[in-house]
Amino acid sequence: MSEKNRDGSSRSARERLQQQREREKAREKQRRVLIVSAAVVGVLGLAAVVGVIAANTGGKGSSDKAGPVVPPAGAVGGDKPAIQTGKADAPSTLAIWEDFRCPACASFENAFRDTIHELEAAGALKTEYHLATLIDRNMGGSGSLRAANAAACAQDAGKFTAYHDVLYINQPQETDDAFAKNDKLIELAAKVPGLDTPAFRSCVEDGTHDSWVDKSNEAFRNSDFRGTPSVLLNGESVFPTKGNEQISPENLKKWVAEANKGKKPGTASPAAGAGPSR
């Protein structure tokens, strides 16, 4: 065999090996991502990717150290910890299980944020946010945990809703664990008037609510949910569909109106620490 032919064969072997490795990577990604689908979910034809990130069933939690479970102000849910927003006596409840690193969660939040705030302000709906850390476990890193702890710290300051929205609006790429840096989380807190205080910074840097976030993530893993976001209206799954209907801002309003027929809107103040629904 000529040297030229040998070089060609060597390159072909390397190319085949590279292709095989790429196929293996694709198969691994396919195993990790359970569902990724495109849906039109926003006003004016806003296209968003909605998906379910497969939950990894191994291990216990995300934090490096165990500590006492310190719930944020006004936390609800008991064994299924949550931060509640909206009027506490609103007739319907939207439960959202989500991960601050999850791109599908950001797609959901960015498409439905205004609708949820509108329903909360009208007293039609209260929302319970259950914080999970699936991406940390599936991809490595600690951004899910760090961001969730920071959001719980914002709850202590009565700024959860605004900071929660800021985190999703500024979510990094899934592979970029930028939220693992407390400095980044504190930098984003400056976008919420009155949040960047010594108390908030200490809460973020000390990981005050890490074990509470772990408890919430454990509740998610022990549930029947397949991934994030998991969204339930009065206990019934509505994401990505409710029955034969695709979720959309218009359909969410319709479903809440149907559930609330004959019921009075809520008038009570938001749960302690939640702050106004906007």
Side-chain angles (χ1 to χ4, degrees), residues 42-77:
V43 180
L44 302 178
L46 170 64
V49 174
V50 295
V52 180
I53 307 302
N56 187 314
T57 57
K60 282 199 67 176
S62 306
S63 59
D64 295 328
K65 56 183 180 180
V69 175
V70 181
V76 298

Side-chain angles (χ1 to χ4, degrees), residues 6-211:
R6 283 197 299 271
D7 289 343
S9 297
S10 179
R11 282 197 300 272
S12 296
R14 287 196 299 269
E15 289 171 357
R16 287 195 298 272
L17 180 59
Q18 180 64 28
Q19 290 171 354
Q20 181 180 350
R21 288 173 176 170
E22 291 299 324
R23 287 194 294 269
E24 290 174 353
K25 288 180 181 179
R27 284 196 294 269
E28 178 60 29
K29 183 176 182 180
Q30 189 175 26
R31 284 193 294 269
R32 184 175 60 80
V33 179
L34 184 62
I35 299 173
V36 177
S37 60
V40 176
V41 294
V43 180
L44 302 178
L46 170 64
V49 174
V50 295
V52 180
I53 307 302
N56 187 314
T57 57
K60 282 199 67 176
S62 306
S63 59
D64 295 328
K65 56 183 180 180
V69 175
V70 181
V76 298
D79 291 336
K80 296 180 179 180
I83 292 173
Q84 181 177 289
T85 62
K87 295 177 173 60
D89 59 346
S92 282
T93 301
L94 190 71
I96 305 175
W97 296 77
E98 60 185 13
D99 182 326
F100 283 109
R101 285 181 71 187
C102 165
C105 298
S107 292
F108 173 82
E109 287 293 343
N110 293 334
F112 287 86
R113 175 181 302 113
D114 291 345
T115 301
I116 292 172
H117 291 337
E118 179 184 338
L119 290 168
E120 287 181 336
L125 185 74
K126 58 181 176 290
T127 308
E128 294 180 353
Y129 292 95
H130 301 264
L131 309 182
T133 59
L134 299 185
I135 306 299
D136 285 356
R137 179 134 204 104
N138 291 346
M139 300 195 69
S142 60
S144 301
L145 173 65
R146 299 264 50 77
N149 172 70
C153 296
Q155 168 74 0
D156 290 337
K159 306 284 185 179
F160 172 81
T161 297
Y163 188 62
H164 167 274
D165 294 351
V166 163
L167 289 176
Y168 277 114
I169 291 169
N170 294 275
Q171 185 190 69
Q173 293 293 315
E174 185 181 13
T175 53
D176 178 5
D177 196 20
F179 283 170
K181 300 175 181 177
N182 290 333
D183 288 348
K184 179 64 175 179
L185 298 169
I186 292 171
E187 174 190 322
L188 291 174
K191 295 180 179 291
V192 179
L195 179 57
D196 186 7
T197 64
F200 174 78
R201 290 185 174 219
S202 177
C203 182
V204 171
E205 292 166 352
D206 293 345
T208 299
H209 301 298
D210 281 0
S211 291

Side-chain angles (χ1 to χ4, degrees), residues 87 89-91 122-125 260 263-268:
K87 295 177 173 60
D89 59 346
L125 185 74
N260 291 355
K263 300 176 183 177
K264 295 181 179 180
T267 58

